[in-house]
Amino acid sequence: MIGIDVASVDRIKRMYEKFGRKAYERFLDDEEIELIKRPESAAGFWAAKEAASKALGTGIGKECGFHDIKIKKSKLGAPKIKYKKEIRKKYKIKKSYLSITHDQGLAIAVVQNTRK
């Protein structure tokens, strides 16, 4: 189960400039917003959540929304991803892996899930 997504840093930046914190609240919770220091990070989180939903085979929507997925950082600053318990159970997810990169105005994320 692998998902990948790309997000435009400029699109996320414009969204934030227009709507402020409400733009981030659309796809992030308070703890995740605290981790955002630059537009590249926000775009990376957007791409990560899209990639995570694609790894389920659903995409963002009725089955799995942005707030069903949570992004944290390890002690060393590496991104970590976790689904809500109901999602993990429904899709039999044992472990999830996340990689995010950004360059040239794009953020790309890949998510891999292993099943029980």
Short mmCIF file of all heavy atoms in Angstrom, two decimals, residues 12-46:
data_model
loop_
_atom_site.label_atom_id
_atom_site.label_comp_id
_atom_site.label_asym_id
_atom_site.label_seq_id
_atom_site.Cartn_x
_atom_site.Cartn_y
_atom_site.Cartn_z
N ILE A 12 -0.19 26.69 -1.46
CA ILE A 12 -0.43 26.65 -0.02
C ILE A 12 -0.11 28.02 0.60
O ILE A 12 -0.83 28.50 1.48
CB ILE A 12 0.39 25.52 0.64
CG1 ILE A 12 0.03 24.16 0.05
CG2 ILE A 12 0.24 25.55 2.15
CD1 ILE A 12 -1.41 23.72 0.25
N LYS A 13 0.95 28.65 0.13
CA LYS A 13 1.33 29.98 0.63
C LYS A 13 0.23 31.00 0.34
O LYS A 13 -0.14 31.79 1.23
CB LYS A 13 2.65 30.41 0.00
CG LYS A 13 3.19 31.71 0.53
CD LYS A 13 4.53 32.04 -0.12
CE LYS A 13 5.08 33.34 0.40
NZ LYS A 13 6.34 33.69 -0.24
N ARG A 14 -0.31 31.01 -0.87
CA ARG A 14 -1.39 31.93 -1.22
C ARG A 14 -2.65 31.66 -0.38
O ARG A 14 -3.33 32.59 0.04
CB ARG A 14 -1.72 31.85 -2.71
CG ARG A 14 -0.69 32.52 -3.61
CD ARG A 14 -1.17 32.66 -5.04
NE ARG A 14 -1.72 31.43 -5.62
CZ ARG A 14 -1.02 30.52 -6.28
NH1 ARG A 14 0.29 30.68 -6.46
NH2 ARG A 14 -1.61 29.45 -6.77
N MET A 15 -2.94 30.39 -0.17
CA MET A 15 -4.09 30.01 0.64
C MET A 15 -3.93 30.60 2.06
O MET A 15 -4.87 31.17 2.61
CB MET A 15 -4.18 28.48 0.68
CG MET A 15 -5.49 27.91 1.11
SD MET A 15 -5.57 26.12 0.85
CE MET A 15 -4.47 25.52 2.12
N TYR A 16 -2.72 30.49 2.62
CA TYR A 16 -2.47 31.02 3.96
C TYR A 16 -2.54 32.55 3.97
O TYR A 16 -3.10 33.14 4.91
CB TYR A 16 -1.10 30.55 4.48
CG TYR A 16 -0.84 31.00 5.89
CD1 TYR A 16 -1.44 30.36 6.97
CD2 TYR A 16 -0.02 32.09 6.15
CE1 TYR A 16 -1.22 30.79 8.27
CE2 TYR A 16 0.20 32.53 7.45
CZ TYR A 16 -0.40 31.87 8.50
OH TYR A 16 -0.19 32.30 9.78
N GLU A 17 -1.98 33.18 2.95
CA GLU A 17 -2.02 34.65 2.87
C GLU A 17 -3.46 35.16 2.79
O GLU A 17 -3.78 36.21 3.34
CB GLU A 17 -1.21 35.14 1.68
CG GLU A 17 0.29 34.99 1.89
CD GLU A 17 1.11 35.23 0.63
OE1 GLU A 17 0.53 35.34 -0.48
OE2 GLU A 17 2.35 35.30 0.75
N LYS A 18 -4.32 34.42 2.12
CA LYS A 18 -5.71 34.83 1.95
C LYS A 18 -6.56 34.56 3.19
O LYS A 18 -7.38 35.39 3.59
CB LYS A 18 -6.31 34.14 0.73
CG LYS A 18 -7.71 34.60 0.40
CD LYS A 18 -8.19 34.00 -0.91
CE LYS A 18 -9.58 34.52 -1.23
NZ LYS A 18 -10.05 34.03 -2.53
N PHE A 19 -6.39 33.38 3.79
CA PHE A 19 -7.28 32.95 4.87
C PHE A 19 -6.62 32.87 6.25
O PHE A 19 -7.28 32.58 7.24
CB PHE A 19 -7.91 31.59 4.53
CG PHE A 19 -8.74 31.62 3.28
CD1 PHE A 19 -8.27 31.03 2.11
CD2 PHE A 19 -9.98 32.22 3.27
CE1 PHE A 19 -9.03 31.05 0.95
CE2 PHE A 19 -10.75 32.25 2.12
CZ PHE A 19 -10.27 31.67 0.96
N GLY A 20 -5.30 33.02 6.33
CA GLY A 20 -4.60 32.95 7.61
C GLY A 20 -4.67 31.55 8.20
O GLY A 20 -4.72 30.55 7.49
N ARG A 21 -4.70 31.49 9.51
CA ARG A 21 -4.70 30.21 10.23
C ARG A 21 -5.83 29.29 9.78
O ARG A 21 -5.70 28.08 9.77
CB ARG A 21 -4.78 30.46 11.73
CG ARG A 21 -4.69 29.20 12.56
CD ARG A 21 -4.78 29.52 14.05
NE ARG A 21 -4.88 28.30 14.82
CZ ARG A 21 -3.85 27.67 15.36
NH1 ARG A 21 -2.63 28.14 15.22
NH2 ARG A 21 -4.05 26.55 16.06
N LYS A 22 -6.97 29.85 9.41
CA LYS A 22 -8.12 29.04 8.95
C LYS A 22 -7.73 28.15 7.77
O LYS A 22 -8.26 27.05 7.64
CB LYS A 22 -9.29 29.94 8.55
CG LYS A 22 -9.93 30.63 9.73
CD LYS A 22 -11.31 30.09 9.94
CE LYS A 22 -12.02 30.83 11.03
NZ LYS A 22 -12.20 30.07 12.23
N ALA A 23 -6.82 28.61 6.93
CA ALA A 23 -6.36 27.79 5.80
C ALA A 23 -5.71 26.52 6.31
O ALA A 23 -5.97 25.43 5.79
CB ALA A 23 -5.38 28.58 4.94
N TYR A 24 -4.86 26.64 7.33
CA TYR A 24 -4.20 25.47 7.89
C TYR A 24 -5.18 24.58 8.66
O TYR A 24 -5.05 23.37 8.64
CB TYR A 24 -3.05 25.89 8.81
CG TYR A 24 -1.83 26.43 8.12
CD1 TYR A 24 -0.83 27.07 8.84
CD2 TYR A 24 -1.64 26.30 6.74
CE1 TYR A 24 0.31 27.56 8.23
CE2 TYR A 24 -0.51 26.81 6.12
CZ TYR A 24 0.47 27.43 6.86
OH TYR A 24 1.59 27.91 6.26
N GLU A 25 -6.14 25.20 9.33
CA GLU A 25 -7.12 24.43 10.10
C GLU A 25 -7.96 23.51 9.21
O GLU A 25 -8.51 22.53 9.69
CB GLU A 25 -8.03 25.36 10.90
CG GLU A 25 -7.31 26.03 12.04
CD GLU A 25 -8.12 27.11 12.73
OE1 GLU A 25 -9.20 27.49 12.22
OE2 GLU A 25 -7.67 27.58 13.79
N ARG A 26 -8.02 23.82 7.94
CA ARG A 26 -8.76 22.97 6.99
C ARG A 26 -8.16 21.56 6.94
O ARG A 26 -8.88 20.58 6.77
CB ARG A 26 -8.73 23.61 5.60
CG ARG A 26 -9.38 22.77 4.55
CD ARG A 26 -9.37 23.45 3.22
NE ARG A 26 -9.89 22.52 2.22
CZ ARG A 26 -9.56 22.53 0.97
NH1 ARG A 26 -8.73 23.44 0.51
NH2 ARG A 26 -10.05 21.65 0.13
N PHE A 27 -6.82 21.47 7.08
CA PHE A 27 -6.19 20.16 6.93
C PHE A 27 -5.26 19.77 8.06
O PHE A 27 -4.72 18.66 8.07
CB PHE A 27 -5.46 20.06 5.57
CG PHE A 27 -4.28 20.98 5.39
CD1 PHE A 27 -2.99 20.50 5.51
CD2 PHE A 27 -4.46 22.31 5.05
CE1 PHE A 27 -1.90 21.33 5.33
CE2 PHE A 27 -3.38 23.16 4.85
CZ PHE A 27 -2.10 22.67 4.99
N LEU A 28 -5.09 20.64 9.06
CA LEU A 28 -4.19 20.36 10.18
C LEU A 28 -4.88 20.63 11.51
O LEU A 28 -5.76 21.49 11.59
CB LEU A 28 -2.95 21.26 10.09
CG LEU A 28 -2.09 21.15 8.84
CD1 LEU A 28 -1.05 22.26 8.83
CD2 LEU A 28 -1.43 19.79 8.75
N ASP A 29 -4.46 19.92 12.56
CA ASP A 29 -4.96 20.25 13.90
C ASP A 29 -3.96 21.21 14.56
O ASP A 29 -2.92 21.55 13.98
CB ASP A 29 -5.22 19.00 14.72
CG ASP A 29 -3.98 18.22 15.12
OD1 ASP A 29 -2.86 18.76 15.05
OD2 ASP A 29 -4.12 17.06 15.52
N ASP A 30 -4.26 21.64 15.77
CA ASP A 30 -3.43 22.63 16.46
C ASP A 30 -1.97 22.18 16.64
O ASP A 30 -1.05 22.97 16.45
CB ASP A 30 -4.02 22.99 17.83
CG ASP A 30 -5.30 23.80 17.70
OD1 ASP A 30 -5.52 24.43 16.65
OD2 ASP A 30 -6.09 23.81 18.67
N GLU A 31 -1.78 20.92 17.02
CA GLU A 31 -0.42 20.41 17.22
C GLU A 31 0.37 20.41 15.91
O GLU A 31 1.56 20.74 15.89
CB GLU A 31 -0.45 18.99 17.79
CG GLU A 31 -0.91 18.92 19.23
CD GLU A 31 -0.97 17.49 19.74
OE1 GLU A 31 -0.21 16.64 19.25
OE2 GLU A 31 -1.80 17.24 20.63
N GLU A 32 -0.28 20.06 14.81
CA GLU A 32 0.39 20.06 13.51
C GLU A 32 0.72 21.49 13.07
O GLU A 32 1.80 21.74 12.54
CB GLU A 32 -0.49 19.38 12.46
CG GLU A 32 -0.67 17.89 12.72
CD GLU A 32 -1.77 17.27 11.89
OE1 GLU A 32 -2.85 17.88 11.75
OE2 GLU A 32 -1.54 16.17 11.37
N ILE A 33 -0.20 22.42 13.31
CA ILE A 33 0.04 23.81 12.93
C ILE A 33 1.26 24.36 13.67
O ILE A 33 2.04 25.12 13.09
CB ILE A 33 -1.22 24.67 13.19
CG1 ILE A 33 -2.33 24.27 12.21
CG2 ILE A 33 -0.90 26.17 13.07
CD1 ILE A 33 -3.69 24.88 12.49
N GLU A 34 1.45 23.94 14.91
CA GLU A 34 2.62 24.39 15.69
C GLU A 34 3.94 23.94 15.03
O GLU A 34 4.98 24.58 15.24
CB GLU A 34 2.55 23.86 17.12
CG GLU A 34 1.49 24.54 17.96
CD GLU A 34 1.71 26.03 18.12
OE1 GLU A 34 2.85 26.44 18.38
OE2 GLU A 34 0.73 26.78 17.97
N LEU A 35 3.91 22.87 14.27
CA LEU A 35 5.12 22.36 13.60
C LEU A 35 5.46 23.15 12.33
O LEU A 35 6.58 23.04 11.83
CB LEU A 35 4.94 20.88 13.25
CG LEU A 35 4.76 19.91 14.41
CD1 LEU A 35 4.46 18.51 13.89
CD2 LEU A 35 5.99 19.91 15.32
N ILE A 36 4.52 23.92 11.83
CA ILE A 36 4.72 24.65 10.57
C ILE A 36 5.53 25.92 10.81
O ILE A 36 5.08 26.81 11.53
CB ILE A 36 3.36 25.01 9.91
CG1 ILE A 36 2.51 23.78 9.67
CG2 ILE A 36 3.57 25.82 8.63
CD1 ILE A 36 3.10 22.78 8.71
N LYS A 37 6.70 25.97 10.21
CA LYS A 37 7.55 27.15 10.33
C LYS A 37 7.69 27.88 9.00
O LYS A 37 8.05 29.04 8.96
CB LYS A 37 8.95 26.76 10.85
CG LYS A 37 8.95 25.97 12.14
CD LYS A 37 8.40 26.76 13.29
CE LYS A 37 8.46 25.95 14.57
NZ LYS A 37 7.28 25.99 15.36
N ARG A 38 7.44 27.15 7.89
CA ARG A 38 7.59 27.73 6.55
C ARG A 38 6.51 27.16 5.63
O ARG A 38 5.98 26.07 5.90
CB ARG A 38 8.95 27.37 5.95
CG ARG A 38 10.13 27.76 6.82
CD ARG A 38 11.46 27.31 6.26
NE ARG A 38 11.39 25.98 5.69
CZ ARG A 38 12.26 25.48 4.82
NH1 ARG A 38 13.26 26.19 4.41
NH2 ARG A 38 12.13 24.26 4.36
N PRO A 39 6.19 27.84 4.54
CA PRO A 39 5.19 27.33 3.60
C PRO A 39 5.56 25.95 3.03
O PRO A 39 4.68 25.13 2.76
CB PRO A 39 5.15 28.38 2.49
CG PRO A 39 5.69 29.62 3.09
CD PRO A 39 6.66 29.18 4.15
N GLU A 40 6.85 25.68 2.90
CA GLU A 40 7.28 24.38 2.40
C GLU A 40 6.81 23.25 3.32
O GLU A 40 6.43 22.18 2.85
CB GLU A 40 8.81 24.33 2.26
CG GLU A 40 9.37 25.18 1.16
CD GLU A 40 9.60 26.64 1.54
OE1 GLU A 40 9.24 27.05 2.67
OE2 GLU A 40 10.14 27.37 0.70
N SER A 41 6.86 23.50 4.62
CA SER A 41 6.41 22.49 5.58
C SER A 41 4.91 22.25 5.45
O SER A 41 4.45 21.10 5.46
CB SER A 41 6.72 22.92 7.01
OG SER A 41 8.11 23.03 7.19
N ALA A 42 4.13 23.32 5.33
CA ALA A 42 2.68 23.18 5.18
C ALA A 42 2.35 22.41 3.90
O ALA A 42 1.50 21.52 3.92
CB ALA A 42 2.02 24.55 5.17
N ALA A 43 3.01 22.73 2.82
CA ALA A 43 2.78 22.02 1.56
C ALA A 43 3.17 20.56 1.69
O ALA A 43 2.49 19.67 1.17
CB ALA A 43 3.55 22.69 0.41
N GLY A 44 4.25 20.29 2.41
CA GLY A 44 4.67 18.91 2.65
C GLY A 44 3.64 18.13 3.45
O GLY A 44 3.36 16.97 3.16
N PHE A 45 3.05 18.78 4.45
CA PHE A 45 2.01 18.13 5.26
C PHE A 45 0.77 17.86 4.42
O PHE A 45 0.14 16.81 4.54
CB PHE A 45 1.66 18.98 6.47
CG PHE A 45 2.65 18.89 7.61
CD1 PHE A 45 3.98 18.53 7.40
CD2 PHE A 45 2.26 19.18 8.90
CE1 PHE A 45 4.88 18.45 8.44
CE2 PHE A 45 3.15 19.11 9.96
CZ PHE A 45 4.47 18.74 9.73
N TRP A 46 0.40 18.82 3.56
CA TRP A 46 -0.75 18.61 2.66
C TRP A 46 -0.48 17.38 1.78
O TRP A 46 -1.31 16.48 1.68
CB TRP A 46 -0.97 19.84 1.80
CG TRP A 46 -2.10 19.71 0.82
CD1 TRP A 46 -2.11 18.98 -0.34
CD2 TRP A 46 -3.39 20.30 0.91
NE1 TRP A 46 -3.33 19.11 -0.97
CE2 TRP A 46 -4.13 19.91 -0.22
CE3 TRP A 46 -3.99 21.15 1.85
CZ2 TRP A 46 -5.44 20.32 -0.44
CZ3 TRP A 46 -5.29 21.56 1.62
CH2 TRP A 46 -6.00 21.15 0.49
#
